[in-house]
Amino acid sequence: AMSVIGDRRSREQKAKQEREKELAKVTIKKEDLELIMTEMEISRAAAERSLREHMGNVVEALITLTN
């Protein structure tokens, strides 16, 4: 039973690392990042994460952050 839990945990960790690598490849504009930071009053990290998750699309990122 412990090995099943360990295997699942390692698969989840690997999937998470792959997702982070994909997000890191997304290019974002400095102006978009600053816009989200000032308008939404959130940290640079949160703004950058949101932009990367929406493939650099500032409109989609803002919509998600306002919902």
Side-chain angles (χ1 to χ4, degrees):
M2 292 302 286
S3 66
V4 171
I5 293 171
D7 289 345
R8 184 189 310 165
R9 207 174 273 161
S10 66
R11 280 194 307 263
E12 289 172 356
Q13 187 68 20
K14 186 172 181 170
K16 197 175 194 179
Q17 287 174 345
E18 290 297 319
R19 173 83 172 135
E20 292 301 319
K21 282 182 185 178
E22 290 300 314
L23 289 178
K25 291 179 185 177
V26 176
T27 57
I28 56 175
K29 295 179 184 174
K30 185 177 179 182
E31 307 87 50
D32 293 345
L33 182 63
E34 291 174 0
L35 173 76
I36 291 177
M37 287 171 48
T38 56
E39 292 299 318
M40 301 306 295
E41 297 179 351
I42 59 175
S43 69
R44 178 178 210 84
E48 187 172 332
R49 176 75 180 197
S50 181
L51 266 174
R52 289 188 189 282
E53 287 175 347
H54 293 91
M55 301 303 171
N57 186 326
V58 69
V59 175
E60 287 182 17
L62 283 169
I63 290 171
T64 301
L65 288 168
T66 56
N67 289 338

